[in-house]
Amino acid sequence: MGYLAELVISGLVIGAIYGLIAMAFSVIYKATGLVNFAQGEVGMLIAYLSWSFSTTFGTGALGVVAMAVVGGVTVGLLIERIVMRPMLGEPVFSAVLVTIGLAVVLRSFVILVWGASPQKLDVGAADAVLRFGGIGMRSSQIGVVGVLLLCVLGVWLFFQRSRFGIAMRAVAADEKTARLMGVSTAQVQAVAWAASSVFAGLAGVFFAVIYNLSPELFALGLKAFPATVLGGLDAVIGSGISGLVIGVAENLVGGYVSSTLKEVAGFLLILVVLMVRPFGLFGEREIERV
């Protein structure tokens, strides 16, 4: 029983990181209809920026998280303004290819600036162990699950209660009609890129604190993508929850079946789910595929 609990808890931790990246994918898709294949690289870049900030100024956990948020907003707005806004009106396929090119550029930039050697993002109290019923968890592991749940709640409130959130939903439903109603598509997309980069940045920072910081961190994007598909490309909250499902499923398969199958467990799960619900667990039926 203790072994099962450990697998589930560690699955929830990595699942929370998947969930944050998956929410980043979904926010971009909901606002622009694009799949951003540079999402993992964006998270990696913000994690390195936070590491440099932490080692330079000696900040603690709150400073690193704050840097991830500020860095995420800045990086997201820069990408939207410099890279993606010139692609407005261009074919979706071309815009998706731009995100692939952006991924390669960001990966090379990180290695050029910070090198390829792994680094330790030490934020002091992150390694403090708390015990619940005989099972120990580091404070950083509890923190990432808590941050995911806060992000899910914040996104729900944003889309349901704020005028801008309703405007984003209008753009997602019918962009031309939304423009005729006075909604600024450019503003909506800028906010979407900023929000998605914050989610990716938080995921990258927590992964670096709990595991390690290296250029291999970009692979988080590929590992988290099944959670986006499972939840539904256009379902931001569903993607976050599906991240937890994928993380726990991977750990259970790795612990009880085979460590080799652990890496593909998420993809096997989405194959089964998509055969029953092609639009994902929480997605809408009519979605545009890219």
Side-chain angles (χ1 to χ4, degrees), residues 64-272:
V64 170
V65 171
M67 180 59 199
V69 174
V70 174
V73 171
T74 305
V75 170
L77 291 178
L78 286 174
I79 291 175
E80 190 279 333
R81 188 67 184 87
I82 297 173
V83 181
M84 301 310 301
R85 187 170 297 186
M87 297 303 296
L88 280 176
E90 299 296 331
V92 172
F93 182 70
S94 300
V96 171
L97 287 180
V98 167
T99 68
I100 295 174
L102 177 65
V104 176
V105 170
L106 291 180
R107 216 177 301 163
S108 303
F109 177 77
V110 165
I111 294 175
L112 182 67
V113 174
W114 287 282
S117 300
Q119 305 290 347
K120 172 67 176 174
L121 181 50
D122 188 1
V123 292
D127 290 332
V129 177
L130 304 175
R131 293 202 164 275
F132 302 92
I135 298 176
M137 289 185 70
R138 286 188 285 165
S139 57
S140 54
Q141 293 176 314
I142 299 171
V144 69
V145 177
V147 165
L148 172 69
L149 296 178
L150 285 175
C151 288
V152 167
L153 177 61
V155 166
W156 182 82
L157 290 174
F158 177 73
F159 281 124
Q160 297 296 327
R161 305 295 184 187
S162 72
R163 289 177 61 87
F164 204 86
I166 294 172
M168 286 187 73
R169 289 167 56 195
V171 171
D174 191 331
E175 183 178 334
K176 290 183 180 178
T177 303
R179 280 206 302 263
L180 290 173
M181 297 294 290
V183 176
S184 170
T185 304
Q187 283 186 0
V188 166
Q189 295 193 0
V191 170
W193 278 95
S196 76
S197 297
V198 169
F199 293 147
L202 288 171
V205 163
F206 273 104
F207 186 89
V209 171
I210 297 171
Y211 303 102
N212 69 355
L213 176 63
S214 77
E216 299 301 318
L217 199 151
F218 80 89
L220 267 182
L222 294 176
K223 290 186 175 181
F225 192 64
T228 313
V229 178
L230 181 65
L233 278 172
D234 58 342
V236 182
I237 296 174
S239 295
I241 296 171
S242 296
L244 297 175
V245 175
I246 293 285
V248 172
E250 281 186 354
N251 261 23
L252 291 179
V253 170
Y256 285 109
V257 183
S258 166
S259 59
T260 305
L261 286 178
K262 178 181 178 180
E263 297 299 323
V264 299
F267 293 94
L268 292 175
L269 181 60
I270 63 172
L271 281 177
V272 173

Side-chain angles (χ1 to χ4, degrees), residues 39-74:
Q39 208 66 75
E41 283 77 3
V42 170
M44 174 182 64
L45 172 63
I46 296 168
Y48 269 97
L49 290 173
S50 299
W51 174 74
S52 292
F53 182 77
S54 175
T55 53
T56 303
F57 298 102
T59 58
L62 291 179
V64 170
V65 171
M67 180 59 199
V69 174
V70 174
V73 171
T74 305

